[in-house]
Amino acid sequence: MMLFRRAEEADLNTIYQLAEQSGVGLTSLPNDKKFLAKRMRLSEKSFQKNIVKPRQEYYWFVLEDTSSSKIIGTSAIEAITGYDL
């Protein structure tokens, strides 16, 4: 069974491994651990907010194979894009 859940700080190393395996050109999952850690912090802060109006929130998710507890993919939602706030 697959579980789609929010990403957690404990997932960062595994997500980085996925980024390493994905190679060059996958701009949504760069092979840059500092950048990924920054995204993780932004996601965690976004999930903690009580949103009245979307701003710069970023929500990061993982797809976990529950039979092996392995993360096999990621997805994200940016609350707003294309605007200078």
Side-chain angles (χ1 to χ4, degrees), residues 71-84:
I71 294 171
I72 59 172
T74 68
S75 180
I77 298 171
E78 291 196 47
I80 192 168
T81 60
Y83 291 94
D84 243 349

Side-chain angles (χ1 to χ4, degrees):
M1 179 164 58
M2 299 295 165
L3 175 64
F4 186 73
R5 62 169 175 81
R6 72 188 231 181
E8 300 171 349
E9 188 175 343
D11 300 323
L12 186 57
N13 286 331
T14 304
I15 292 170
Y16 179 65
Q17 290 171 354
L18 287 174
E20 288 181 313
Q21 294 170 8
S22 66
V24 179
L26 188 57
T27 58
S28 62
L29 193 62
N31 185 2
D32 181 339
K33 197 166 189 178
K34 287 183 182 181
F35 180 82
L36 296 173
K38 184 179 175 182
R39 282 236 171 128
M40 183 66 70
R41 287 189 300 273
L42 178 57
S43 178
E44 288 175 343
K45 288 179 183 178
S46 296
F47 275 110
Q48 293 172 2
K49 289 182 178 181
N50 183 13
I51 305 299
V52 175
K53 182 177 180 183
R55 300 301 259 178
Q56 301 295 332
E57 293 82 29
Y58 180 83
Y59 303 95
W60 205 2
F61 302 91
V62 295
L63 183 62
E64 180 182 334
D65 181 343
T66 58
S67 64
S68 64
S69 297
K70 288 188 178 184
I71 294 171
I72 59 172
T74 68
S75 180
I77 298 171
E78 291 196 47
I80 192 168
T81 60
Y83 291 94
D84 243 349
L85 302 175

